[in-house]
């Protein structure tokens, strides 16, 4: 496809397998039983903290949804409150973002093609986003409607998954935020599951390597050894949509400390 995106940045849950749900309830029941048996030993504030904490860990982490199709919350992705966190085009937001389309009609045709079944020529799209930058703010722009992307191309937001580093999905609270926005683990098996399910895929090919090489106001991508997303596109007959975020590296002053070691 000829569709390309340039992002300018200026300073329904998956059902849990029955055996996993049984395991979750069993672990939670054991934890509650332990707390009940220790009522005479544990102080009240410890008990008040332990029960909800165990509940959260059991039901959030044990289902391994991040290795499947995740558990996105579409309404959350469209929540206007995110405009002020990620940065919308409104004058009141502190981070301004807008999207420039190289060929908007080609991108719309790509979206419509994704609505068709494979037997009728349907195909997914893989959005390859560059550069990663320090925190990848442009990723948030494409995951939400902060710059009007979801309004113009709704299924590219509701029927897609974003690959993110495993470590980010291990952080309590932040894990939920990312998964509500449609993020899943950045593993090859997970990527294939997403494409096989008929969903579009967003990737940051440079990953942590590109993130560590980020220098203030310098444009550099880490790509020579990162061609796995191209192979995925060929294997699944998916369209490749390149995305470049101008201004991503302008947002934070960085240091060149240990730069040779980072390379």
């Amino acid at each position: 496809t000829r569709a390309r995106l340039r992002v300018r940045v200026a300073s329904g849950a998956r059902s849990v397998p029955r055996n996993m749900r049984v395991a979750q309830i069993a672990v939670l029941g054991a934890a509650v039983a332990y707390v009940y048996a220790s009522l005479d030993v544990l102080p009240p504030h410890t008990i008040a903290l332990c029960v909800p904490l165990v509940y959260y860990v059991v039901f959030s982490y044990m289902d391994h949804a991040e290795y499947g199709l995740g558990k996105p919350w579409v309404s959350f992705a469209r929540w206007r409150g995110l405009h002020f966190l990620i940065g919308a085009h409104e004058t009141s937001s502190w981070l301004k973002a807008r999207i420039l389309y190289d060929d908007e009609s080609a991108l719309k045709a790509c979206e419509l093609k994704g609505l068709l079944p494979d037997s009728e020529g349907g195909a997914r799209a893989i959005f390859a986003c560059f550069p990663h930058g320090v925190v990848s703010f442009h990723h948030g722009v494409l995951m939400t409607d902060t710059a009007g992307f979801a309004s113009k191309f709704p299924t590219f937001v509701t029927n897609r998954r974003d690959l993110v580093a495993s470590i980010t999905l291990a952080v309590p609270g932040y894990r939920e935020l990312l998964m509500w926005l449609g993020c899943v683990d950045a593993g090859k098996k997970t990527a294939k599951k997403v494409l096989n399910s008929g969903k579009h895929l967003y990737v940051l090919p440079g990953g942590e390597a590109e993130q560590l090489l980020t220098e203030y106001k310098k444009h550099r991508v880490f790509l020579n050894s990162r061609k796995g997303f191209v192979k995925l596109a060929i294997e699944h007959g998916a369209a490749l949509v390149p995305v470049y975020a101008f201004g991503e590296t302008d947002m934070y002053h960085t240091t060149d400390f240990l730069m040779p070691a980072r390379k």
Side-chain angles (χ1 to χ4, degrees):
T1 179
R2 291 185 58 253
R4 290 183 295 173
L5 281 165
R6 288 173 290 172
V7 182
R8 293 190 63 87
V9 182
S11 323
R14 180 181 68 89
S15 60
V16 180
R18 183 177 179 181
N19 57 344
M20 178 59 68
R21 185 64 77 197
V22 171
Q24 288 176 324
I25 295 175
V27 172
L28 181 63
V32 172
Y34 171 78
V35 171
Y36 182 78
S38 306
L39 288 177
D40 296 333
V41 180
L42 297 176
H45 64 272
T46 300
I47 297 174
L49 177 64
C50 284
V51 173
L53 181 61
V54 170
Y55 181 89
Y56 170 74
V57 171
V58 169
F59 284 91
S60 180
Y61 286 81
M62 283 188 63
D63 60 4
H64 300 299
E66 66 270 30
Y67 300 110
L69 297 180
K71 40 188 176 184
W73 184 5
V74 176
S75 297
F76 180 72
R78 289 181 172 274
W79 178 47
R80 291 186 63 83
L82 290 176
H83 293 200
F84 301 94
L85 175 65
I86 299 174
H89 46 274
E90 287 114 333
T91 56
S92 57
S93 80
W94 64 274
L95 178 67
K96 307 299 184 292
R98 63 191 179 101
I99 299 176
L100 305 177
Y101 301 94
D102 182 68
D103 191 336
E104 191 171 332
S105 60
L107 193 60
K108 174 55 73 172
C110 182
E111 181 190 26
L112 295 176
K113 196 174 181 180
L115 298 174
L116 299 174
D118 291 345
S119 59
E120 298 180 18
R124 275 72 63 198
I126 296 179
F127 287 72
C129 309
F130 305 92
H132 189 292
V134 176
V135 293
S136 183
F137 263 105
H138 71 278
H139 203 184
V141 172
L142 294 178
M143 287 192 290
T144 65
D145 200 28
T146 56
F149 186 64
S151 297
K152 285 189 174 183
F153 305 97
T155 60
F156 277 151
V157 174
T158 60
N159 191 42
R160 67 90 185 88
R161 295 293 181 270
D162 303 67
L163 300 186
V164 297
S166 304
I167 187 63
T168 61
L169 294 174
V171 182
Y174 189 49
R175 165 192 173 88
E176 305 306 318
L177 173 65
L178 291 178
M179 296 193 75
W180 287 344
L181 290 173
C183 295
V184 292
D185 182 75
K188 182 184 294 186
K189 290 184 178 179
T190 306
K192 288 185 175 181
K193 285 181 182 179
V194 171
L195 292 171
N196 287 332
S197 70
K199 300 186 184 301
H200 305 294
L201 190 66
Y202 289 15
V203 299
L204 289 152
E208 294 95 327
E210 190 173 271
Q211 182 182 36
L212 291 173
L213 293 174
T214 298
E215 293 186 68
Y216 183 61
K217 287 187 177 296
K218 287 188 177 182
H219 293 268
R220 176 168 55 186
V221 297
F222 194 90
L223 187 59
N224 287 342
S225 60
R226 302 296 180 98
K227 298 184 175 64
F229 69 102
V230 179
K231 295 178 181 177
L232 277 174
I234 294 173
E235 290 174 4
H236 293 82
L240 274 177
V241 182
V243 181
Y244 196 88
F246 294 96
E248 184 71 55
T249 58
D250 299 346
M251 299 185 65
Y252 291 93
H253 290 275
T254 57
T255 177
D256 59 359
F257 180 65
L258 294 179
M259 182 60 75
R262 297 186 214 171
K263 297 179 180 179

